[in-house]
Amino acid sequence: MKCIKKTIACVLASIMILLCGCGAVNTDTKPTESKKSASETTVKASKTQRHKVIIDTDAGSDDAAALVLAATSEQLDILGVTVLYGNVPLEKAAKNALMTLELCDVEAPVYIGAKKPLKKELEEMISVHGKDGMGDQDLIHPKRSAEDGDAVDFILDTIKSDPGEVEIIAVGPLTNIALAVKKDPDTMKLCKRIWVMGTTGFGAGNATPVSEFNVYSDAEAYDTVLRAELPMTILGLDMCSIKEVMITKNEMTKLAQGNEKGVFMSKAFTKLFAFEQENGMDMMIPDPIAVACLIWPDIVLETKSCYGEACVGNDAAYGQIIMYQKGSVYEAMPKIGSYNLEVVTKIDTKLFMDSFMSVMTD
Ligand code: RIB
Ligand code: CA
């Protein structure tokens, strides 16, 4: 029901947009062609300061590419990796994360997290990354095992031990993060920022026309995290589906002829690339783009400050994230505490692809 009202509000907003022939309705009546509107800020990561991060991942092949970028970056101290269900079942996610860290000679601890969503039953999704999540190329033989501790406790203990300094990179469903918010909301308020690959951004979905996979997997988790109004930078699927940041046969060939990481990734991408090609598409690699926004801040050309609401009703809108842009007024405005989301709306595609390929081939 809740989402139907929101959908009506979106329709009303669209009618208003059509009537006034402009972008989102701004309260600002003067033309703002010269100055950026209130919603068009650009929040970038610091280039000088190293970032202490926890990486939360459902460890499919694009997650592995994200882990490689993170593990080889001078900008990041990986304090730990927490895994959960998503692209693959939980146990495989742990092994894939361990194997990828081993490839990069990084000893960061790996903690086991959620094996299913907060509320709904775990849905068997098409395993587009292959049964093992890494191209079914017999790549995954990690020497190390995951730690005995629990992912949610690790997240909370780490943030509590260094208030205001720890950032989270979340590139899977947000179930672990939501469990941490539910268990100790005050500690989670001490998290410096959450860098998320998730939502459709301002584009179309891949799980449904209106929902992106990480949200669709557990929209209740997104609802919990969004209501906590933590500082978040969101890389939506819209940025990942820009042609210039998608992997074509050309990049796959270069990866296969690249360094040890490039060869590993070309194999891990085998199934995902084949799946996309069968559908006449090149291959999206969402998760490394999310990490890139943090380690190569100049990639982020523009962000929009937003407040987000998750659709969790039992209807076709399930998993849609409604983004209310700062500076816009809608007919059905919710109570907004803060515009805590920086949604990435423009990226330097060439800088991303050149930097990504250089990590994998130099
Ligand atoms: O929709 C893309 C996201 O879903 C990526 O994080 C991918 O790894 C899957 O988790
Ligand atoms: Ca992922």
Side-chain angles (χ1 to χ4, degrees):
M1 192 48 196
K2 202 172 153 198
C3 256
I4 295 171
K5 261 203 275 181
K6 278 189 204 133
T7 311
I8 292 168
C10 293
V11 169
L12 274 173
S14 315
I15 292 168
M16 287 180 70
I17 290 169
L18 287 174
L19 288 179
C20 61
C22 59
V25 180
N26 269 321
T27 47
D28 186 346
T29 48
K30 293 185 297 309
T32 57
E33 62 276 2
S34 55
K35 77 177 171 60
K36 285 187 174 245
S37 73
S39 70
E40 284 171 357
T41 55
T42 301
V43 171
K44 287 189 177 187
S46 153
K47 275 203 272 192
T48 50
Q49 184 194 8
R50 278 174 72 85
H51 299 265
K52 299 172 189 171
V53 298
I54 295 168
I55 302 176
D56 191 63
T57 171
D58 59 336
S61 55
D62 69 312
D63 302 68
L67 280 172
V68 169
L69 293 194
T72 53
S73 168
E74 290 301 310
Q75 300 293 326
L76 302 187
D77 283 331
I78 303 177
L79 305 178
V81 175
T82 51
V83 295
L84 76 165
Y85 73 94
N87 283 316
V88 285
L90 179 58
E91 303 67 35
K92 290 181 179 174
K95 290 179 77 172
N96 295 346
L98 285 160
M99 192 67 228
T100 308
L101 291 171
E102 194 172 306
L103 169 82
C104 301
D105 298 322
V106 166
E107 293 277 313
V110 173
Y111 290 88
I112 303 289
K115 63 170 63 177
K116 66 173 287 296
L118 290 183
K119 189 174 160 200
K120 68 180 194 178
E121 284 315 306
L122 187 59
E123 280 180 54
E124 265 310 298
M125 301 280 201
I126 327 162
S127 55
V128 294
H129 299 257
K131 286 192 180 57
D132 69 359
M134 296 288 277
D136 295 340
Q137 301 293 309
D138 195 21
L139 287 173
I140 309 303
H141 305 287
K143 296 187 184 72
R144 283 194 303 140
S145 304
E147 307 298 312
D148 293 336
D150 165 73
V152 172
D153 292 337
F154 170 74
I155 291 169
L156 292 171
D157 294 345
T158 305
I159 291 171
K160 205 176 286 180
S161 70
D162 204 349
E165 293 302 321
V166 176
E167 298 172 83
I168 294 173
I169 299 172
V171 289
L174 289 189
T175 312
N176 286 340
I177 314 303
L179 288 168
V181 168
K182 285 174 179 288
K183 184 166 187 177
D184 186 348
D186 291 340
T187 295
M188 284 305 284
K189 283 189 169 46
L190 301 173
C191 177
K192 184 176 182 183
R193 177 166 287 272
I194 305 178
W195 299 79
V196 165
M197 190 285 128
T199 85
T200 61
F202 294 97
N206 55 355
T208 75
V210 295
S211 182
E212 179 275 325
F213 176 85
N214 287 337
V215 182
Y216 186 79
S217 296
D218 192 349
E220 285 78 4
Y222 260 82
D223 186 46
T224 298
V225 175
L226 290 175
R227 288 175 187 278
E229 296 195 15
L230 304 173
M232 296 170 78
T233 293
I234 291 195
L235 182 86
L237 204 63
D238 53 347
M239 294 295 107
C240 310
S241 34
I242 298 171
K243 190 169 67 67
E244 290 75 15
V245 293
M246 295 175 82
I247 299 292
T248 68
K249 282 196 179 74
N250 180 33
E251 283 79 34
M252 282 296 277
T253 305
K254 285 181 183 166
L255 289 172
Q257 295 164 352
N259 58 36
E260 189 189 8
K261 298 166 185 71
V263 170
F264 178 88
M265 285 316 313
S266 71
K267 292 177 178 172
F269 282 147
T270 306
K271 293 287 186 185
L272 183 60
F273 187 70
F275 173 81
E276 300 288 11
Q277 293 281 291
E278 279 153 29
N279 292 289
M281 306 277 287
D282 291 326
M283 181 175 74
M284 266 198 280
I285 50 169
D287 295 345
I289 304 174
V291 170
C293 291
L294 176 51
I295 62 176
W296 302 316
D298 288 342
I299 279 173
V300 179
L301 299 178
E302 182 187 85
T303 61
K304 284 196 184 331
S305 303
C306 295
Y307 169 80
E309 283 199 352
C311 291
V312 291
N314 186 17
D315 57 24
Y318 181 85
Q320 182 173 13
I321 301 293
I322 311 285
M323 296 286 190
Y324 294 86
Q325 288 182 40
K326 187 174 179 180
S328 304
V329 178
Y330 301 93
E331 286 294 292
M333 205 69 180
K335 183 178 157 313
I336 289 180
S338 68
Y339 290 94
N340 60 301
L341 307 180
E342 288 305 321
V343 182
V344 179
T345 47
K346 271 197 198 112
I347 56 172
D348 183 331
T349 55
K350 183 173 185 327
L351 180 57
F352 168 73
M353 194 52 96
D354 290 352
S355 307
F356 177 78
M357 292 307 288
S358 132
V359 169
M360 303 293 177
T361 59
D362 288 359

